[in-house]
Amino acid sequence: MTKRIPPSWALTVIEAIIGSLCDAYDSLPAELRSRLDHRYARFRAAYADAASATARGQAAARLLSDLAQEPVLRAMVDAWIAHARARAARNDLLSDDPSLLDRLPPRLQSPPTATAALPELSDGRGPAPLPAPPAAAAPPPLAAAEPPAVRRFWRGFESAPAPAATRSGATPAATPALLLRYPQLDCQEQVLIGQRMSLYIQLLTSAPPGTSALAIADTDTPERLPELEAVVRARGFEIEGSDTRTLTVRRDGDTEERVVLIPRRSGEQEIRVAFYQQGRYLGEVRRVVLVVEQPGVMGMVVAQPASPPAIALRSGLTPPDVDVRIMLDRHDQRTLYFEAHAISETVGYNHAPMGQITLQKTPFELFQSIYGELTSFARVTPSTPDEATAQQRRLERLGNQLWSDLFPPELQQAYWRIRDRVRTVQITSDEPWIPWELAKPFRFDEQGRRIDEPFLCEQFDIARWLAGPGPADQVLVSRLRAIAPTVTNLPSLQAELQFLERIGQLRSGLVADPPYSDVLRVVDLLENGNAQIVHIAAHGNFDASMPDNSGILLDGGALRPSDIVALFGGARPRPLIFINDCYGAQAAFGLTGLGGWAERLVRRAGVAAFIGAAWEVNDRLALLFAQAFYEALLRDGRPLAEAFRQARLRLRDAAPANSTWLAYVLYADPNACVEVVPAV
């Protein structure tokens, strides 16, 4: 039954199988009946949507394949499939029948009006009698018993023992159970424009090739199943009904939800489904469908790349106050679409559209000159108060320009409505190049008076993420490894390394390993080693011809994003990586290649958190930022985004006219914290 069932074979037996399932329905276990009802309803919907004999046969074949996955039903199905294969071998197939659904019961628990009998074969033999279903077996244990590797990972590392008790002697609370599910979108690869199609949003217990795991927090109540919110984004399609669906996640098997789409635009069209639990972004899965204007026009759909496993570490983390989702049009690479979501009723946005803008160039092309100017503000120290004021005012005007040019009117209006109700902000974007944190809101009141607000990164605890698998909600660490070249002209580098050597003074149990300087050892650390906090202090080496592959200068050459072929998650802890690129007057260009590093480390490798600078920064201020960040994060126990903003404000107070305080970018869950676990 593992082989694909041809649609024509399925059509020869479907009536008899449905009738037999109805007869045996009451004798089946309750959980099996529930799964059977779900699969039968899906079959009827797909058959009703089908516009051709082939599509109807495919719907029947899929039902038979689903039934074959259930051990209790397999004996029943095998007999009829064997009969269908015998008929097919004799070229004796039943003709397609669009009225089949009229003869089938609407629900399996309803007795069929008549059980169809198959015509006898030419040798006078009918099909083998259907075997009676076996006695109901005890249902399998609930899936809340997570895989051993994941249990070990929650405690820190595979060999780390679980803590026996707290300091007070009480046994610590058990780690909340997680259900690991693999999201997948199942639909046709090609469809006619204007023709209804079914999209099946699936959460699978087994991993299909190239899919990423969602870690779903289970409930504490056996009778209440966990729920996810699935948001469908399909710009080339019309969605029948709501674009937001609630998925009740089964503990004992796969979960599926059907959505009907009508394609309205020809060509390759992308469908995205994002998953949220209690307002927190878990991840996103995509599918490309080729929409044609007439039958027979074939094309090739580009497969989506594999993504890292998105394994969260615990449940119950508070979601950000507002999540801003920014999507880049896959066709022109210049149009941006905005949404806002907030679980808090005081904010009041449920995946609400917030307008769109079309840039004159791609995001990377558009910000080359801006980053160059910002780098010049990091390199030059104003010699007079007037020069400092002028430079500071220029930074503010750049922020105003970003606010005017990049934020649609709908999003600007939302800002003024909710700005006093928001503390944490997550920006989940398709692209890594636009400095969203640098936007500085302003407006004019009814009397024409200008109202200025601080930069967004001054007001809020902001973190970014790239669309795909979601961020970790906790960073488990025991060691920090510094990376720096042995020879450099950065005056503050040695002070930075000395500070990192004493990192254990900020949090008991955290160990500073000897620094690495050789590029090959760093690659091996990231690909095979025990990387937990990796702090890189070095020169950047931006390459304008390869902006997404610009290197970091170390002993033995440049470390480039393409050198890192690593995958974190699952049994391998997701690290925090901090790239502190400082300037050394070695390059005239302003970009550091941060976007390329974010793509590689966040979207592909699946780190827990990534920090870097979007343009070159001042050496002395880079040291101050690292010190302030680790003090707030480790000594004071602040969440990542709060510690990050405190460090940013320390730089602002020290040198407000220098652009370094605005350069740093955090990719993480804003509310995630660092927990030190026993070293191995």
Side-chain angles (χ1 to χ4, degrees), residues 464-548:
R464 293 197 206 180
W465 198 250
L466 293 178
D473 58 6
Q474 191 178 30
V475 186
L476 298 181
V477 302
S478 61
R479 322 188 78 89
L480 179 146
R481 177 83 66 175
I483 310 295
T486 53
V487 178
T488 180
N489 62 345
L490 297 173
S492 298
L493 178 61
Q494 290 305 315
E496 190 167 349
L497 292 177
Q498 291 169 6
F499 169 79
L500 296 174
E501 289 176 2
R502 302 188 303 270
I503 200 74
Q505 298 177 8
L506 299 180
R507 179 76 69 90
S508 176
L510 184 60
V511 177
D513 289 326
Y516 282 169
S517 59
D518 182 80
V519 64
L520 293 181
R521 296 190 73 182
V522 176
V523 170
D524 185 64
L525 170 69
L526 295 176
E527 294 189 348
N528 306 304
N530 195 4
Q532 295 161 33
I533 298 180
V534 179
H535 185 100
I536 302 175
H539 279 311
N541 184 29
F542 182 78
D543 187 343
S545 64
M546 296 186 296
D548 57 352

Side-chain angles (χ1 to χ4, degrees), residues 619-649:
D619 175 42
R620 177 182 60 85
L621 295 176
L623 168 62
L624 177 60
F625 183 86
Q627 292 173 332
F629 171 70
Y630 286 123
E631 287 170 358
L633 182 73
L634 299 174
R635 184 191 63 196
D636 303 335
R638 303 296 184 185
L640 277 165
E642 183 180 345
F644 195 79
R645 185 165 74 99
Q646 288 186 13
R648 191 192 296 277
L649 297 182

Side-chain angles (χ1 to χ4, degrees), residues 321-323 339-354 410-411 413-418 421:
D321 294 331
V322 64
D323 186 347
E339 288 183 4
H341 177 64
I343 192 171
S344 169
E345 294 182 359
T346 62
V347 177
Y349 293 116
N350 184 26
H351 307 291
M354 288 290 162
E410 298 91 331
L411 193 57
Q413 293 170 9
Y415 165 82
W416 293 106
R417 189 179 78 84
I418 67 173
R421 312 173 201 172

Side-chain angles (χ1 to χ4, degrees), residues 218-364:
D218 202 354
T219 66
D220 295 328
T221 307
E223 297 78 14
R224 184 169 60 90
L225 295 175
E227 292 184 344
L228 293 190
E229 189 178 40
V231 182
V232 182
R233 300 177 173 111
R235 300 202 171 274
F237 300 83
E238 175 187 338
I239 304 174
E240 288 192 355
S242 174
D243 60 357
T244 301
R245 305 297 172 92
T246 299
L247 275 61
T248 301
V249 183
R250 296 172 49 200
R251 297 187 179 100
D252 60 344
D254 300 341
T255 300
E256 184 175 82
E257 176 76 12
R258 174 176 175 262
V259 178
V260 176
L261 304 176
I262 304 174
R264 298 303 190 193
R265 187 190 305 165
S266 61
E268 287 188 359
Q269 302 301 326
E270 186 176 60
I271 303 170
R272 307 179 182 208
V273 176
F275 298 93
Y276 296 79
Q277 185 175 27
Q278 297 178 352
R280 184 170 180 268
Y281 174 74
L282 295 186
E284 180 182 271
V285 64
R286 307 183 189 188
R287 179 72 182 262
V288 176
V289 174
L290 181 63
V291 180
V292 298
E293 296 187 358
Q294 55 185 344
V297 178
M298 299 301 294
M300 182 169 59
V301 176
V302 179
Q304 299 298 306
S307 300
I311 306 297
L313 304 178
R314 60 188 172 89
S315 61
L317 186 72
T318 302
D321 294 331
V322 64
D323 186 347
V324 179
R325 180 71 174 88
I326 304 169
M327 292 159 283
L328 182 66
D329 189 281
R330 71 185 302 268
H331 295 289
D332 66 15
Q333 294 294 305
R334 295 185 298 112
T335 300
L336 296 167
Y337 305 93
F338 297 78
E339 288 183 4
H341 177 64
I343 192 171
S344 169
E345 294 182 359
T346 62
V347 177
Y349 293 116
N350 184 26
H351 307 291
M354 288 290 162
Q356 66 183 71
I357 61 168
T358 298
L359 306 174
Q360 296 180 350
K361 302 178 181 178
T362 65
F364 166 71

